[in-house]
Amino acid sequence: MTHEIAVVPGDGIGTEVTPAAVEVLAALDLPLEFVSGEAGDGAAAEYGDPLPEETRELVAEADATLFGAAGETAADVILPLRSIVGSYANVRPARAYPGVDALAPETDLVFVRENTEGVYAGLEQEVVDGVRTLTRVVTEDASEQIAEFGFQYAKRNGYDRVTIAHKANVMRQTDGLFLDTAERVGQDRGADYDTMLMDALATDIVMHPDSYGVVICPNLAGDVLSDLAAGLVGGLGLLPSANVGDENALFEPVHGSAPDIAGEGVANPAATVLSAAMLLDYLEYGEAADRVRDAVEGVLADGPRTPDLGGDASTADVTDAIIDRL
């Protein structure tokens, strides 16, 4: 069976690192078919829509999607894309690799972020001139779904500690519901877990990152905490992510379009290649996914390295080195 992969590079360095990841996937000789779609600032300029209907249909019908980055139109691209694939879980591993100058080399944790609601539900309005509001949405169903996913992910991947992040001491109704629901799921599963206020967690992750495994988060908290963890492992150029739904999924690097280096050919492809490895896991090519991760880890350890990691290699140099290791 051939799996169709929608490839949506987007803007900026997305147009450089996404083709690099496709090269790596193609080198594995798996039954994968790649179909390209357009999105982002360039699509908006050409078609008047940052996410053209043709791309929407492509992503909806594909078995999985590999996405790069979007520029100014990011909110008009990535949020609808996540909705199209029915994504309710955003999975963001933050791991330090040998050979990378990391602030905390012992870091190996995964943020499991609720991906459909919270303050990202998009319910903003101007009440009167000079007064605007944002409605935060938290439901029991979505909280239960992400908690089930998080506990299952921890068990499947061998993480002993699960932490539920929240701010229920202040947001008593919304985060109170999230916390109560996630705790009930943990108790029903007989799982070991703890809970922590998200601001205290931000401090403690920096001080003791090796104390954490899987962190189950509301939407905004997962976004912020995972970026914080990126600083511990060497930067956003090393963080992959998965947006998982019941029947479809989208994979993307956590970094943005990086317009300051776009077009120079020096963007680090590691996060996008690692996102492609998560795509392989999703399609149940586990052995191939492990090969890709091993190859990336070897290149990060021995070089060549792009400038963000202290080297002078190009995107193509690093991509070729990864493929050579395969």
Side-chain angles (χ1 to χ4, degrees), residues 5-9 14-30 32-37 64-68 251 269 271-277 279-280 292 315 319 322-323 326:
I5 311 301
V7 179
V8 185
T15 62
E16 302 168 49
V17 296
T18 310
V22 171
E23 282 188 57
V24 173
L25 290 176
L28 294 166
D29 196 28
L30 295 172
L32 304 176
E33 178 183 356
F34 303 100
V35 184
S36 296
T65 296
L66 184 64
F67 174 67
F251 302 84
T272 314
V273 175
L274 291 169
S275 298
L279 182 152
L280 293 174
V292 171
T315 305
T319 304
I322 293 171
I323 292 172
L326 289 177

Side-chain angles (χ1 to χ4, degrees), residues 164-187:
I164 302 168
H166 68 94
K167 193 64 177 171
N169 62 328
V170 175
M171 296 178 283
R172 296 176 182 175
Q173 291 296 319
T174 51
D175 264 26
L177 176 60
F178 181 87
L179 175 61
D180 290 346
T181 304
E183 284 203 274
R184 172 174 53 78
V185 170
Q187 292 163 5

Side-chain angles (χ1 to χ4, degrees), residues 8 10-11 37-52 55 73 77:
V8 185
D11 300 315
E38 296 181 74
D41 298 353
E46 185 168 353
Y47 307 110
D49 186 348
L51 190 60
T55 303
T73 56
V77 174

Side-chain angles (χ1 to χ4, degrees), residues 50-67:
L51 190 60
E53 185 60 32
E54 184 177 339
T55 303
R56 293 172 182 265
E57 293 176 0
L58 171 66
V59 170
E61 295 171 3
D63 294 299
T65 296
L66 184 64
F67 174 67

